[in-house]
Amino acid sequence: MIWLTWRQFRGSAAMMAALLVVLAAALAVTGPDLASGYSAGITDCTRDNTCDRFYDQFFDEYQTPFMAISLVVLLLPALVGLFWGAPLITRELEAGTHLLVWNQSVTRGRWLAVKLGLTGLAATAAAGLCGLAVTWWSDPLDRSASESLALMAPLVFGARGIAPMGYAAFAFVLGVTMGMLVRRTLPAMALTLALFAALQLAMPLLVRPHLMPPITATFELGKANVDHLGVPRDGGGSAQLLLRPAVPGHAGAWVLSSELLDPSGRDIGGSDSEGAIQVSTTSGPCSPAGAASGQDICMAEINRLGYRQQATYQPLDRFWPFQWIETGIYALLTLGLTWFSFWWIRRRLS
């Protein structure tokens, strides 16, 4: 069975290995220059306090390859489920070759165990190597990225660390299970894609924010958490303030919610809508004349009046605990589907 499974699988395995070698070579060639450029830039910007500008310029320069390799890691588990998992059993069922094997000395359980074990381990290893290689290469860019593309951001989190291993293992067994249930390759591929995509969307929206209790705290307003502060040019009226999805002192945190609170603690805005600040704009620090000397003075006045940001967030130092917990969840789902596949092939499949 091992020899037969390897003969059926070796073409796909060779293609996957070739793609991984190409990716690894590209990352190995460009990674050291990327890291040295980041280190040199940090050294220079620290002297004149311009690191915010350096982060933006550095990330913009490499944004296209950053997005491309992240997309590769995100798509790899889905492709494994579609092209390795779903056809693994359906092509045997459609051709009728499973009956020939079962009439020999090979049991149904052993037949399925070898197919799941050999191909599943290869899929998990490929996704794991790809995810860890990309994590190593993108480390300088993850440190420079904006809040929406930081390491804990939903779009990036799934393309880093060990999580792709869990995704690939689950997608593969999901494809096998769908193939057993519908017995046709194309419908099994469609169901695998739909169910896997639904779970990948539900995880960051409904599950991941609650893997560990989020932190809720209030912060003074400043450059770290204020995106825009608008003062009427002709004076009069209220100042308008828009928050950034970030929290001071916690760079890279995943902000789940961010509200602007007035001195009484009432929510008056956030990171998706401007809030009206009741501060004098005809005279004083927030008047057009005062704003001409810089917004720091106006921001200090707003803080003195009692305006604050209230944020609920998951800090960056929870990245690896979240990786292990989420991978464990997918491992349990994979084991559940594996048990169901063995039960189905012994009791229902003929």
Side-chain angles (χ1 to χ4, degrees):
M1 270 304 302
I2 295 175
W3 176 82
L4 177 61
T5 302
W6 168 248
R7 283 184 62 86
Q8 294 175 327
F9 175 63
R10 62 185 178 181
S12 299
M15 182 178 297
M16 176 65 75
L19 293 175
L20 287 177
V21 168
V22 172
L23 177 63
L27 297 182
V29 169
T30 58
D33 290 339
L34 184 67
S36 62
Y38 175 82
S39 298
I42 289 295
T43 301
D44 293 338
C45 75
T46 303
R47 298 170 183 169
D48 52 6
N49 197 27
T50 58
C51 286
D52 288 341
R53 184 187 307 169
F54 165 74
Y55 289 145
D56 293 338
Q57 293 175 347
F58 183 75
F59 185 81
D60 289 344
E61 182 179 355
Y62 294 97
Q63 184 172 2
T64 299
F66 173 88
M67 297 298 296
I69 63 170
S70 297
L71 184 62
V72 168
V73 182
L74 291 173
L75 290 178
L76 182 59
L79 296 176
V80 164
L82 287 177
F83 297 105
W84 285 13
L88 188 71
I89 303 300
T90 56
R91 64 187 174 200
E92 302 271 5
L93 298 176
E94 290 173 343
T97 54
H98 65 295
L99 297 176
L100 176 63
V101 176
W102 293 350
N103 287 329
Q104 306 299 319
S105 61
V106 178
T107 64
R108 297 185 182 200
R110 181 184 172 193
W111 178 76
L112 180 61
V114 173
K115 285 185 170 292
L116 285 179
L118 185 62
T119 313
L121 287 175
T124 304
L129 290 173
C130 186
L132 292 174
V134 169
T135 301
W136 167 79
W137 181 88
S138 63
D139 180 62
L141 294 172
D142 290 332
R143 299 183 186 185
S144 308
S146 62
E147 294 84 4
S148 60
L149 293 174
L151 198 58
M152 287 288 285
L155 184 62
V156 179
F157 180 89
R160 301 289 186 271
I162 60 173
M165 297 175 64
Y167 303 157
F170 171 76
F172 170 73
V173 178
L174 177 64
V176 172
T177 305
M178 293 299 103
M180 286 187 179
L181 293 176
V182 303
R183 303 190 180 200
R184 293 292 183 269
T185 300
L186 290 180
M189 294 173 72
L191 282 172
T192 300
L193 180 61
L195 292 175
F196 182 70
L199 184 59
Q200 290 296 88
L201 290 175
M203 180 61 71
L205 293 176
L206 303 176
V207 179
R208 191 181 301 156
H210 309 289
L211 293 180
M212 295 176 70
I215 299 173
T216 299
T218 56
F219 302 91
E220 289 192 346
L221 303 173
K223 292 181 179 179
N225 56 358
V226 173
D227 185 64
H228 172 72
L229 175 61
V231 177
R233 292 183 178 180
D234 54 354
S238 59
Q240 299 293 319
L241 189 144
L242 180 66
L243 291 175
R244 294 173 57 189
V247 290
H250 297 276
W254 180 21
V255 180
L256 305 177
S257 65
S258 178
E259 294 88 27
L260 178 63
L261 304 182
D262 67 7
S264 65
R266 185 170 57 94
D267 180 6
I268 59 172
S271 57
D272 54 359
S273 62
E274 290 187 341
I277 305 296
Q278 302 302 320
V279 61
S280 174
T281 57
T282 56
S283 62
C286 293
S287 65
S293 59
Q295 291 188 341
D296 290 344
I297 300 176
C298 181
M299 198 75 69
E301 175 65 13
I302 293 173
N303 281 316
R304 188 191 67 79
L305 293 174
Y307 289 89
R308 293 292 185 270
Q309 175 202 29
Q310 179 174 281
T312 301
Y313 63 98
Q314 296 285 2
L316 180 60
D317 58 15
R318 293 182 177 179
F319 172 79
W320 282 109
F322 272 40
Q323 285 274 319
W324 285 104
I325 294 171
E326 188 162 319
T327 303
I329 292 173
Y330 275 87
L332 291 175
L333 293 174
T334 301
L335 290 175
L337 286 178
T338 302
W339 173 86
F340 176 81
S341 297
F342 277 99
W343 178 84
W344 188 266
I345 199 173
R346 289 168 176 162
R347 302 293 180 88
R348 299 296 184 89
L349 195 60
S350 61

